[in-house]
Amino acid sequence: MSSALTPPGLESSNAVASSELVNGAFSLENILGENHDAVVHAGNEMSAPATGWDEEDAEKPLLEGYCVECEDQPAEVLCETCADPYCEVCFAAQHRKGSRKQHKSKPLAHKKSNSAKPNGQDSVVNGGLTNGAGEPMTVDGLDNGDSDDEDWERVVPGPSETTSAHPAVGARVGEWFVDRSKFIPLRLTLPERKYLRLLEAALTVSEYTDKIDTLGFGLSKTKRIVYQIRELCAIMSGLLLSADYKAGQELFTDRDFKANAEFYQTVFELGRRHKIMNPDKMRTTYGKLIYLLQDSQMPAVMDLLNFSCVKPIKTVYSVLEEHDALDLLRDDLITVATKEIYSEGRPRRDVQKDIKSKERAIETLSARYSRNGLSQENVRQCLYSIGDNHAFLRANRDPCDKMIAYLKEYFHPTQTKDPHSSLAIRSGKGGARLSHDHSKQYAYVLQSLTLWREILHDMFRLWSLAEQDLLSEDIPYRLRDTGQGLNRVQAAPKTSRMMHSILHKAQKNVGVWIGSSVIHMGDHNVPNALLFIDKYTQIYRILLPICNTLSQIDTIATKPALRSYIDNDFGSVENCVKEILGDFFRHGFDGSGADNFFDAGSCIDGRLTSAWNWCSSLEKKKYFPVFLLAGFVGFDGEW
């Protein structure tokens, strides 16, 4: 049989090969024997590495002391079962479910021993379920053993990491302002606002993204780059000509863009800085600006321009560090100089007293820390910028705190007195995509609001990382149809890492996690870091009108005719508030708002999609007239 299948010329060579490989290597006896792992193919060249297209690169050795998963963060936890070191975030992500959930861990030598417990139910009080006050929470149908519902994820509760707005007046500030100021952009001066208006005007009339982000048939890559250069040069030339006619004439004459590189970098940096401090500004022009700068970082474009259009954002920390004045951020008087002054419900005399004390603190600090190169006006600018950060937190983050307070005040974590007090939802009813009983929905809403709060508290840092990802020279983008038009799909490793860290902090604060913890970034749901940031800057547009309406219902009810309307339709003012909150907590977090379950549901971004879907149906609600009586204009209006 073998002679029939073997070519005549190969019989002698096969015989020689079989005689040579009896003891080593490649024989049927060795392959089928017990020592088959030691078999080496005769023609295998061990010294030559694989170079095929489908061959993986050789694994790089892990640096000692770093996480085995992300490989760029210091290791903090050692999994005794896996025998691998992890950072805290990666350990929690890799040991969420399944058999890994029961793995034991211990902190490494440089980590405080506050989490040296098995990552299972034994280290969680009552299954890890707590209410908003941190008290153990029991759930009907959930015993101390493993639940059949995989939506419940027990998380080892750590010390509360919920961050406050700023240190109290008169308290020791420590390093709080130092860490915070690294991501607080410097407020624009009056001369800088002149250039900002020029930039906005140029971007408003520009059709940059309309011309670049298209699929042009028959256009080569070279031609597309030429179009990018022409559009970019036209915008920059117009900016310089508007700001300085003489310099603009020289630019048109010599075409020397490199000589004016500092001007272009400064003008583009002003627009980026202004947008971060004012998310409601530059709604249509910021996207053009970022995409323009993103294209300017391409090697082919930079070779033609001979300079980069991108420079680091000027922050409070960078200005003070340049002039060796960081001690300003550790001065306890800074809490008085940067505090917000509220007038609601306070006598005018107290408000004026706070204003004068704040002005005195600003003048004292500006005189104390002014030095060569750092004028008193520069110090004031830094203090005003920190105050702007507090104003941003009040408008964006504080509505999350108010909604959490409403949830705890009007609804019990586990018990319901009547159907109106129940937050239970069922898939297919009222547009819901999820099925939760009251206790599960209560925890789901609480953790979602807590996560939003933590994201908005670190929004400036997230924005800084998002721009680093968008403007990176090493991370190219792909123009793809994501189902919502052509979008630039680009990975965002730094932003994603920060989001996982924030998610881990929120999970530790609430003690339990329900639903998916998937963070969409760089896919068809959230194509790039710009759209991710844009999604979460809209949270205050949802929550702030609701909070304003709820706070004004008592004032509306003081008028007899309106009080009669509320009593007839809702029974009482409290019932009116409860109905609005109950409907929002049920159907603003029900997984709706997308064409399929994977685009909404219970993932991190799907929660925000559900809230937007609830906003779009507000006009159909029974209580919509109450919103109108409270001055509601829209979720994109002025409040």
Coordinates of all heavy atoms in Angstrom, one line a residue, residues 198-234:
L198 N -12.3 85.1 16.5 CA -11.8 84.8 15.1 C -11.8 83.3 14.8 O -12.2 82.9 13.7 CB -10.3 85.4 15.0 CG -10.2 86.9 15.0 CD1 -8.7 87.2 15.0 CD2 -10.9 87.5 13.8
L199 N -11.4 82.5 15.8 CA -11.3 81.1 15.6 C -12.8 80.5 15.4 O -13.0 79.7 14.4 CB -10.7 80.4 16.8 CG -10.7 78.9 16.7 CD1 -9.8 78.4 15.6 CD2 -10.2 78.3 18.1
E200 N -13.7 81.0 16.2 CA -15.1 80.5 16.1 C -15.7 80.9 14.7 O -16.4 80.1 14.1 CB -15.9 81.0 17.2 CG -15.6 80.4 18.5 CD -16.7 80.7 19.6 OE1 -16.5 81.7 20.3 OE2 -17.7 80.0 19.7
A201 N -15.4 82.2 14.3 CA -15.9 82.6 13.0 C -15.4 81.8 11.9 O -16.1 81.4 10.9 CB -15.6 84.1 12.8
A202 N -14.1 81.5 11.9 CA -13.5 80.7 10.8 C -14.0 79.3 10.8 O -14.3 78.7 9.7 CB -11.9 80.7 11.0
L203 N -14.2 78.7 12.0 CA -14.7 77.3 12.0 C -16.2 77.3 11.6 O -16.6 76.2 11.1 CB -14.5 76.8 13.4 CG -13.0 76.5 13.8 CD1 -13.0 76.1 15.3 CD2 -12.4 75.4 13.0
T204 N -16.9 78.3 11.9 CA -18.3 78.3 11.6 C -18.6 78.3 10.1 O -19.5 77.5 9.6 CB -19.0 79.6 12.2 OG1 -18.9 79.6 13.6 CG2 -20.5 79.6 11.8
V205 N -17.8 79.0 9.3 CA -18.0 79.0 7.9 C -17.2 77.9 7.2 O -17.4 77.7 6.0 CB -17.5 80.4 7.3 CG1 -18.3 81.5 7.9 CG2 -16.0 80.6 7.5
S206 N -16.4 77.2 7.9 CA -15.6 76.1 7.3 C -16.5 74.9 7.1 O -17.4 74.6 7.8 CB -14.4 75.7 8.2 OG -13.8 74.6 7.8
E207 N -16.2 74.2 6.0 CA -16.9 72.9 5.6 C -15.9 71.8 5.7 O -15.9 70.9 4.9 CB -17.5 73.0 4.3 CG -18.6 74.1 4.1 CD -19.2 74.1 2.8 OE1 -18.7 73.5 1.8 OE2 -20.2 74.8 2.6
Y208 N -15.0 71.9 6.7 CA -13.9 71.0 6.7 C -14.3 69.5 6.8 O -13.9 68.7 6.0 CB -13.0 71.3 7.9 CG -11.7 70.4 8.0 CD1 -10.6 70.7 7.2 CD2 -11.7 69.4 8.9 CE1 -9.5 69.9 7.3 CE2 -10.6 68.5 9.0 CZ -9.5 68.8 8.2 OH -8.4 68.0 8.3
T209 N -15.1 69.2 7.8 CA -15.5 67.8 8.0 C -16.4 67.3 6.8 O -16.4 66.1 6.5 CB -16.3 67.6 9.3 OG1 -17.3 68.6 9.4 CG2 -15.3 67.8 10.5
D210 N -17.2 68.2 6.2 CA -18.1 67.8 5.1 C -17.2 67.4 3.9 O -17.6 66.5 3.1 CB -19.0 69.0 4.7 CG -19.9 69.4 5.8 OD1 -20.2 68.5 6.6 OD2 -20.4 70.6 5.8
K211 N -16.1 68.0 3.7 CA -15.2 67.7 2.6 C -14.3 66.5 2.9 O -13.9 65.8 2.0 CB -14.4 68.9 2.2 CG -15.2 70.1 1.7 CD -14.4 71.3 1.3 CE -15.2 72.4 0.8 NZ -14.3 73.6 0.5
I212 N -13.9 66.4 4.1 CA -12.8 65.4 4.4 C -13.5 64.0 4.8 O -13.1 63.0 4.3 CB -11.9 65.9 5.6 CG1 -11.3 67.2 5.2 CG2 -10.9 64.8 5.9 CD1 -10.4 67.1 3.9
D213 N -14.5 64.0 5.7 CA -15.1 62.8 6.1 C -16.1 62.3 5.2 O -17.3 62.2 5.5 CB -15.7 63.0 7.5 CG -14.6 63.2 8.6 OD1 -13.4 62.9 8.2 OD2 -14.9 63.6 9.7
T214 N -15.7 62.0 3.9 CA -16.6 61.5 2.9 C -15.9 60.4 2.2 O -14.7 60.4 2.2 CB -17.0 62.6 1.9 OG1 -15.9 63.1 1.3 CG2 -17.9 63.7 2.5
L215 N -16.7 59.5 1.6 CA -16.1 58.4 0.9 C -16.1 58.8 -0.6 O -17.1 58.7 -1.3 CB -16.9 57.1 1.1 CG -16.8 56.5 2.5 CD1 -17.7 55.3 2.6 CD2 -15.4 56.2 2.9
G216 N -15.0 59.4 -1.1 CA -14.9 59.8 -2.4 C -14.4 58.8 -3.4 O -13.3 58.3 -3.2
F217 N -15.2 58.4 -4.3 CA -14.9 57.3 -5.2 C -13.9 57.9 -6.3 O -14.0 59.0 -6.8 CB -16.1 56.8 -6.0 CG -17.1 56.1 -5.1 CD1 -18.2 56.8 -4.6 CD2 -16.8 54.8 -4.6 CE1 -19.1 56.2 -3.7 CE2 -17.7 54.2 -3.8 CZ -18.9 54.9 -3.3
G218 N -12.8 57.1 -6.5 CA -11.8 57.6 -7.5 C -10.7 58.5 -6.9 O -9.8 58.9 -7.6
L219 N -10.9 58.8 -5.6 CA -9.9 59.7 -5.0 C -8.8 58.9 -4.3 O -9.1 58.0 -3.4 CB -10.6 60.6 -3.9 CG -11.6 61.7 -4.5 CD1 -12.2 62.5 -3.4 CD2 -10.9 62.6 -5.5
S220 N -7.6 59.1 -4.6 CA -6.5 58.4 -4.0 C -6.2 59.1 -2.6 O -6.6 60.1 -2.3 CB -5.2 58.5 -4.9 OG -4.8 59.8 -5.0
K221 N -5.4 58.3 -1.9 CA -5.0 58.8 -0.6 C -4.2 60.1 -0.7 O -4.4 61.0 0.1 CB -4.2 57.8 0.2 CG -3.8 58.2 1.6 CD -3.1 57.0 2.3 CE -2.7 57.4 3.7 NZ -2.0 56.3 4.4
T222 N -3.4 60.2 -1.7 CA -2.6 61.5 -1.9 C -3.5 62.7 -2.1 O -3.3 63.7 -1.6 CB -1.6 61.3 -3.1 OG1 -0.8 60.1 -2.9 CG2 -0.8 62.5 -3.3
K223 N -4.5 62.5 -2.9 CA -5.4 63.6 -3.2 C -6.2 64.0 -1.9 O -6.4 65.2 -1.7 CB -6.4 63.2 -4.3 CG -5.8 63.1 -5.7 CD -6.8 62.8 -6.7 CE -6.2 62.7 -8.1 NZ -7.2 62.4 -9.2
R224 N -6.6 63.1 -1.1 CA -7.3 63.4 0.1 C -6.4 64.2 1.0 O -6.8 65.1 1.7 CB -7.8 62.1 0.8 CG -8.8 61.3 0.0 CD -9.3 60.1 0.7 NE -10.0 60.5 1.9 CZ -11.3 60.9 2.0 NH1 -12.0 60.9 0.8 NH2 -11.8 61.2 3.1
I225 N -5.1 63.8 1.1 CA -4.2 64.6 1.9 C -4.0 66.0 1.4 O -3.9 67.0 2.2 CB -2.8 63.9 2.0 CG1 -2.9 62.5 2.7 CG2 -1.8 64.8 2.7 CD1 -1.7 61.7 2.8
V226 N -4.0 66.2 0.1 CA -3.9 67.5 -0.5 C -5.1 68.3 -0.1 O -4.9 69.5 0.2 CB -3.7 67.4 -2.0 CG1 -3.9 68.8 -2.7 CG2 -2.4 66.8 -2.4
Y227 N -6.3 67.7 -0.2 CA -7.5 68.5 0.2 C -7.4 68.9 1.7 O -7.8 70.0 2.1 CB -8.7 67.6 0.0 CG -9.1 67.5 -1.5 CD1 -9.8 66.4 -1.9 CD2 -8.8 68.5 -2.4 CE1 -10.1 66.2 -3.2 CE2 -9.1 68.4 -3.7 CZ -9.8 67.2 -4.1 OH -10.2 67.1 -5.5
Q228 N -6.9 68.0 2.5 CA -6.7 68.4 3.9 C -5.8 69.6 4.1 O -6.0 70.5 4.9 CB -6.2 67.2 4.7 CG -7.2 66.0 4.8 CD -6.6 64.8 5.5 OE1 -5.6 65.0 6.3 NE2 -7.1 63.7 5.4
I229 N -4.6 69.5 3.4 CA -3.7 70.6 3.5 C -4.3 71.9 3.0 O -4.1 73.0 3.7 CB -2.4 70.3 2.7 CG1 -1.7 69.1 3.3 CG2 -1.5 71.5 2.6 CD1 -1.1 69.5 4.7
R230 N -5.0 71.9 1.9 CA -5.6 73.1 1.4 C -6.6 73.7 2.4 O -6.6 74.9 2.6 CB -6.2 72.9 0.1 CG -5.3 72.6 -1.1 CD -6.0 72.3 -2.4 NE -5.1 72.1 -3.5 CZ -5.5 71.7 -4.7 NH1 -6.7 71.5 -4.9 NH2 -4.6 71.6 -5.6
E231 N -7.4 72.9 2.9 CA -8.4 73.4 3.9 C -7.8 73.9 5.1 O -8.1 74.9 5.7 CB -9.4 72.2 4.2 CG -10.6 72.6 5.1 CD -11.6 73.5 4.3 OE1 -11.6 73.3 3.0 OE2 -12.3 74.3 4.9
L232 N -6.8 73.2 5.6 CA -6.1 73.6 6.9 C -5.4 74.9 6.6 O -5.5 75.9 7.5 CB -5.1 72.5 7.3 CG -4.3 72.8 8.6 CD1 -5.3 72.8 9.7 CD2 -3.3 71.6 8.8
C233 N -4.7 75.1 5.5 CA -4.0 76.3 5.2 C -4.9 77.5 5.0 O -4.6 78.6 5.4 CB -3.1 76.1 4.0 SG -1.7 75.0 4.2
A234 N -6.1 77.2 4.4 CA -7.0 78.3 4.2 C -7.6 78.8 5.6 O -7.7 80.1 5.7 CB -8.2 77.8 3.4

